[in-house]
Amino acid sequence: MRGFSRTGGPSTPAPVGLAAAANGASTLLDVMRGLSGCVLETVERGKTIFFPGDPAERVYLLRRGAVRLSRVYESGEEITVALLRENSLFGVLSLLTGQRSDRFYHAVAFTRVELVAAPAASVRRAIEQDSAVGLLLLQGLSSRILQTETMIETLTHRDMSSRLVSFLLVLCRDFGVPGSEGITIDLRLSHQAIAEAIGSTRVTITRLLGDLRQAGLVQIDRKKITVFDPVALAKRFS
Amino acid sequence: MRGFSRTGGPSTPAPVGLAAAANGASTLLDVMRGLSGCVLETVERGKTIFFPGDPAERVYLLRRGAVRLSRVYESGEEITVALLRENSLFGVLSLLTGQRSDRFYHAVAFTRVELVAAPAASVRRAIEQDSAVGLLLLQGLSSRILQTETMIETLTHRDMSSRLVSFLLVLCRDFGVPGSEGITIDLRLSHQAIAEAIGSTRVTITRLLGDLRQAGLVQIDRKKITVFDPVALAKRFS
DNA sequence: CCAGAATCAGCAGCCAGCCAGACACAGTGC
DNA sequence: GCACTGTGTCTGGCTGGCTGCTGATTCTGG
């Protein structure tokens, strides 16, 4: 259970009456698409959306697919800071101040991705003109904060087994597709990718996933993980 | 260095021209104080601001002091999800949907705290009436996201020593007061509290802090930690 | 203001979990 | 076919969690 059912609620921001009334744009997507200078982009799996050091001048809305935000160290090590799901806002740093600032994360398309990018200035202008836009963006960011905080919960688990389980539950929440056998995580995850996200190593993930599979809790088919019963899996916390 | 100097930048949202022009309210604090139904509260160290399960109907701005957001488990274990510094927005969950929702974190005053609380409905109304309010809130939330993501970086460090160092640097950023000898973290931190924040145990923190002290990197006086030289400390990453 | 209670800090020894490094093999795409 | 990425497994070694105890500090209620 822990953090699974409860945080599952407010994930996809529902249309708000206010916004719809204002100008017919009832979702973030509608709003973003209406902005001047907005661009619809498709990025192939593995391609970079922005590099650390790039100027932060656009705000992105992830329309389809998953994006990985990561931090790269001199050592070559790479840490995943967030795995963004559909409907997530990112690159909001550019809204922060009027001054120019730079990205410090690396944003990579984790799957084939469709996104809407709009200049920060356009977004600011849209907010001025229609306050409903501000509210929608706020809701988008709030939901990002909730996701991130769930991830912090995951990462403070002491033993790797609990961390992995907790992470799988987060993935179910964000990328889960219900099927006949359980919930399938709609991402092609390598053990290495999981390790980078929860601060472990490839070998450990291999071992722990093997344990979970042998316990009959999950199934793995061509890098796609199916969780048979999230509640049963949650009981696996140390 | 890692995440220290870079994220230090956009911490306190600077007044934005737009907002000032709109109605003279140039900071979040001004905005919040002007809201109908807003309440100024003082909460003593250790007292609860809201419990998990409480209805989420107000948005808070932390005016002075520090607030700890945590998750409590049946086992009695408690995990710190965020240590909020002055000027942080929290309780934004209530903005998310029109429907009623409940808190799932425990918010406790970590120090003596002054805060402004406003009903979510008032906040929504204020955004409608003055779009500058929306922008200020957005900036507040963006800065929260940056903080939270730095914390994720901290937590994905594998060895406890790096995690502790990284956490101390985060604390310097958020609660540091420069002094003649270095930066003093203006919080009374027990080893237990640190352990709960970085997913370790009291004993380990005791040992590692002892090491840092012996290495001449930090000083601890009645639960207040002074970091002599953040840059030197940052070199301590494994 | 004081005494008892509670929390906090420090130390040591034991042991499991996990990392490092290495290697073989399977799958996949060019 | 070949290169590359991903998976599975083993051995050794060390970090860090767990337990138990003691003395110091801080809090609390009279």
Side-chain angles (χ1 to χ4, degrees), chain B residues 184-199:
Chain B
T184 300
I185 296 165
D186 192 23
L187 290 175
R188 305 188 55 198
L189 287 160
S190 73
H191 295 182
Q192 180 65 40
I194 298 177
E196 281 170 3
I198 66 175

Side-chain angles (χ1 to χ4, degrees), chain A residues 1-73:
Chain A
M1 291 294 291
R2 276 189 191 174
F4 181 71
S5 57
R6 303 196 74 174
T7 52
S11 53
T12 27
V16 180
L18 168 67
N23 64 355
S26 58
T27 67
L28 257 181
L29 181 57
D30 294 333
V31 168
M32 293 282 291
R33 275 204 289 214
L35 294 179
S36 73
C38 129
V39 185
L40 277 89
E41 286 180 31
T42 300
V43 183
E44 292 304 322
R45 176 181 157 90
K47 299 287 180 231
T48 290
I49 298 165
F50 55 74
F51 285 101
D54 284 1
E57 45 202 16
R58 298 200 294 175
V59 178
Y60 297 87
L61 177 68
L62 178 51
R63 214 178 137 192
R64 193 168 303 282
V67 167
R68 190 173 76 126
L69 292 186
S70 63
R71 175 82 105 151
V72 188
Y73 294 119

Side-chain angles (χ1 to χ4, degrees), chain B residues 1-44:
Chain B
M1 290 295 290
R2 276 191 193 171
F4 182 71
S5 57
R6 303 195 75 174
T7 51
S11 53
T12 27
V16 180
L18 169 66
N23 64 355
S26 58
T27 66
L28 257 181
L29 180 57
D30 294 333
V31 167
M32 291 285 288
R33 276 205 288 216
L35 294 180
S36 74
C38 126
V39 184
L40 277 90
E41 285 180 31
T42 301
V43 183
E44 293 304 323

Side-chain angles (χ1 to χ4, degrees), chain B residues 76-99:
Chain B
E77 204 189 353
E78 198 161 354
I79 283 182
T80 299
V81 174
L83 254 188
L84 305 173
R85 63 173 171 204
E86 290 174 13
N87 258 314
S88 293
L89 272 174
F90 66 108
V92 286
L93 173 63
S94 45
L95 283 177
L96 252 187
T97 58
Q99 308 147 20

Side-chain angles (χ1 to χ4, degrees), chain A:
Chain A
M1 291 294 291
R2 276 189 191 174
F4 181 71
S5 57
R6 303 196 74 174
T7 52
S11 53
T12 27
V16 180
L18 168 67
N23 64 355
S26 58
T27 67
L28 257 181
L29 181 57
D30 294 333
V31 168
M32 293 282 291
R33 275 204 289 214
L35 294 179
S36 73
C38 129
V39 185
L40 277 89
E41 286 180 31
T42 300
V43 183
E44 292 304 322
R45 176 181 157 90
K47 299 287 180 231
T48 290
I49 298 165
F50 55 74
F51 285 101
D54 284 1
E57 45 202 16
R58 298 200 294 175
V59 178
Y60 297 87
L61 177 68
L62 178 51
R63 214 178 137 192
R64 193 168 303 282
V67 167
R68 190 173 76 126
L69 292 186
S70 63
R71 175 82 105 151
V72 188
Y73 294 119
E74 317 79 46
S75 62
E77 204 188 353
E78 197 160 355
I79 284 182
T80 299
V81 174
L83 254 189
L84 304 173
R85 63 172 170 204
E86 289 175 12
N87 256 314
S88 293
L89 272 174
F90 65 108
V92 285
L93 173 63
S94 45
L95 283 177
L96 253 186
T97 58
Q99 308 148 20
R100 157 187 199 75
S101 53
D102 290 337
R103 306 279 181 210
F104 44 85
Y105 290 131
H106 186 199
V108 183
F110 195 76
T111 64
R112 187 167 196 275
V113 148
E114 290 173 34
L115 38 82
V116 190
S122 292
V123 177
R124 284 206 206 90
R125 221 173 308 123
I127 296 174
E128 288 174 51
Q129 283 164 13
D130 179 0
S131 54
V133 174
L135 193 52
L136 279 172
L137 286 168
L138 269 182
Q139 294 177 339
L141 281 200
S142 303
S143 124
R144 257 293 290 285
I145 289 191
L146 287 184
Q147 280 175 60
T148 312
E149 284 175 348
T150 324
M151 199 55 209
I152 288 192
E153 254 190 271
T154 295
L155 291 172
T156 37
H157 284 295
R158 261 194 279 293
D159 56 307
M160 276 305 155
S161 167
S162 302
R163 258 154 102 150
L164 176 60
V165 165
S166 175
F167 185 57
L168 289 178
L169 293 175
V170 168
L171 292 176
C172 281
R173 180 196 67 184
D174 290 351
F175 302 100
V177 179
S180 59
E181 290 190 298
I183 300 179
T184 299
I185 296 166
D186 192 23
L187 291 174
R188 304 187 55 195
L189 287 159
S190 72
H191 295 182
Q192 180 65 39
I194 298 177
E196 281 170 4
I198 66 175
S200 182
T201 56
R202 206 269 308 161
V203 183
T204 301
I205 302 300
T206 300
R207 182 173 54 78
L208 292 175
L209 272 183
D211 292 350
L212 290 181
R213 193 176 36 192
Q214 284 198 343
L217 289 163
V218 302
Q219 187 188 45
I220 303 171
D221 182 39
R222 266 164 303 141
K223 293 202 207 166
K224 292 217 177 183
I225 302 177
T226 301
V227 173
F228 293 130
D229 178 5
V231 178
L233 185 59
K235 294 222 175 76
R236 258 273 168 155
F237 279 110
S238 67

